[in-house]
Amino acid sequence: MAQRRKNGNVTLKDIAAETGFSANTVSRALADKPDISEETKEVIRRKAEEMGYIANALASFLRSGVSRNISIIVGDISNPHFSVMVKEMQMLLQKKGYNSIIFNTEENLEMERQAITVSISQNVDGIILCPAPGGEANIGLLRHYGKPFVLIGRRLEAEAGSKTSYVVCDDENSGYTAMRCLLEQGHRRVLFFNGPKEISSARERLTGYRRALREAGIAYDGSLVHTVPVTAGKGTQRMRRILSGRQDYTAVLAFSDLLAWQAVCILEELGKSVPRDCSVIGFDNIHFAYPHHLTSISSSKTTMARRCVQILLKQLGGRKGEEERVVLETELVKGDTVRGIFESDAESLG
């Protein structure tokens, strides 16, 4: 029986010596080349596994120019919105024979640039990126090196986003739908905890928020809109100051479900009951083990992940063609964190 080496890697020559085939035949069999019979491949694969053979990725890359590695770069892997998509992309890529390298940027431009630089230095075949706020220069770096990439969840400004494929949600309609829901329930003073304006989804959701107000004949009040960090936990103190510092609001709209749940917790700390005293809507439709079922704008995270992988694989297959720009529809998922103003008044009178 073949023995594993005590020191060093098992080589193609070692497998050849054990099987009686040439090193070239072993190499072609492990690369699944069509000129090697399935019976021979099976014998060689079984022996390679038995001996603990691990392919030399660098040598393979030097021969083929293909690493079979894909980088997935996101802003906050602790956010279930990202982690669900990353898991889906990783599984899909694995089925196609690719390994995934995951980077977390904390929505920081320097960390994002480092992730891109490391990815390029590691010769990844392509990159899936959710860009950090203001990340146009980092996208320029990808273009400079000619690295295939697809943006997920966010897009760039029109002039900066030329020749860029992306998969995003219809964020303007999402903001409109969420705000219209609150307006239909009688809410007029809605605090909006939004992400930085450099994030496309934040800009577009604010546009939808304002459109709903305009259709309802209500003047936009900028003092109700506040920019907060979108990374988990970083905006808590600012949100607490705002929620405790004014009492004229009856509802909160938050950039993400994570921020929405932070708002729920803060409101309850302040002695306010959700939704009796204040309604709350988030974005992403993440299911948490909380007492409330959050009302949220839902997008298909699975569909977004799949479309991104499909577009990138097309690029890697040499079928670049026109850039693909996918905008997915969203919908309001009703929970128990929104209540009508008149319903609340009736109960208090009763």
Side-chain angles (χ1 to χ4, degrees), residues 155 166-173 204 304 307 324-330:
R155 52 188 166 188
Y166 57 71
V167 180
V168 299
C169 297
D170 187 347
D171 284 299
E172 180 178 341
N173 193 59
E204 293 167 14
M304 190 179 296
R307 294 298 297 273
E324 294 191 49
R325 298 175 177 182
V326 179
V327 181
L328 300 175
E329 294 183 1
T330 60

Side-chain angles (χ1 to χ4, degrees), residues 4 7 36 75 130 139 162 174 205 273 333:
R4 295 171 183 255
N7 297 300
I36 306 298
C130 181
I139 301 300
S162 59
S174 297
R205 289 172 191 175
S273 174
V333 177

Side-chain angles (χ1 to χ4, degrees), residues 29-45:
L30 293 175
D32 200 25
K33 296 296 184 180
D35 59 327
I36 306 298
S37 71
E38 288 302 319
E39 292 79 8
T40 299
K41 288 178 184 177
E42 182 60 27
V43 169
I44 291 173
R45 286 169 183 158

Side-chain angles (χ1 to χ4, degrees), residues 29 42 48 96 116 144 153 186 215 219 247 252 257 277 298 315:
E42 182 60 27
K96 295 296 183 178
I116 292 172
H144 174 75
E215 285 187 5
Q247 303 299 321
V252 169
D257 282 356
D277 301 319
S298 175
Q315 293 184 16

Side-chain angles (χ1 to χ4, degrees), residues 176 180 183-184 208-219:
Y176 170 80
R180 188 180 65 178
L183 290 169
E184 288 174 348
Y209 170 97
R210 298 186 69 163
R211 176 159 63 95
L213 285 171
R214 187 167 59 252
E215 285 187 5
I218 300 171

